[in-house]
Amino acid sequence: MSQRQVDGFNSEYSRKEREMKEIFRIRCQMSGIRRFSSDTFRLFGFDRFIVDTQHGIGSFFAKLVKNGDVKKVDWIRSEVASNHGRQIRLYEWQE
């Protein structure tokens, strides 16, 4: 088992996830978005490209955190109907 695979969670990016991460970062920058959430990810339409459909967006964002690409900064209320107004994490890209 690799060092990045602990408790069944593999934090290594697939090629598609690496590309999606970079495109999402660029899209945030171009839109002037400094802080973002999974709602932002959905708003931009990236949710349809998620590789791990069993765990969804949460798995992708866990990889972003685990690999040090983003940091958790706050909580916000989700605007996505399927989240039923629950609190979700707000993130910032690491420099």
Side-chain angles (χ1 to χ4, degrees), residues 5-65:
Q5 189 169 351
V6 179
D7 297 327
F9 176 71
N10 183 357
S11 64
E12 293 184 23
Y13 294 117
S14 68
R15 183 174 69 70
K16 187 175 183 178
E17 287 172 327
R18 274 192 304 278
E19 292 170 357
M20 184 169 45
K21 175 190 71 160
E22 290 308 316
I23 294 168
F24 180 54
R25 179 192 303 256
I26 291 166
R27 180 74 193 267
C28 286
Q29 289 171 345
M30 290 179 67
S31 299
I33 296 172
R34 207 176 114 239
R35 292 180 165 192
F36 59 91
S37 68
S38 58
D39 282 3
T40 312
F41 191 78
R42 285 183 176 99
L43 175 70
F44 290 158
F46 286 99
D47 54 330
R48 67 178 171 241
F49 301 114
I50 290 294
V51 173
D52 182 356
T53 56
Q54 181 181 3
H55 299 102
I57 294 172
S59 175
F60 179 70
F61 273 78
K63 288 180 182 184
L64 291 174
V65 172

Side-chain angles (χ1 to χ4, degrees), residues 13 21 24-25 34 36 60-73 90-95:
Y13 294 117
K21 175 190 71 160
F24 180 54
R25 179 192 303 256
R34 207 176 114 239
F36 59 91
F60 179 70
F61 273 78
K63 288 180 182 184
L64 291 174
V65 172
K66 181 76 173 169
N67 288 298
D69 294 309
V70 302
K71 65 179 177 179
K72 300 173 186 177
V73 294
L90 193 60
Y91 302 91
E92 284 183 355
W93 292 104
Q94 293 283 74
E95 299 296 322

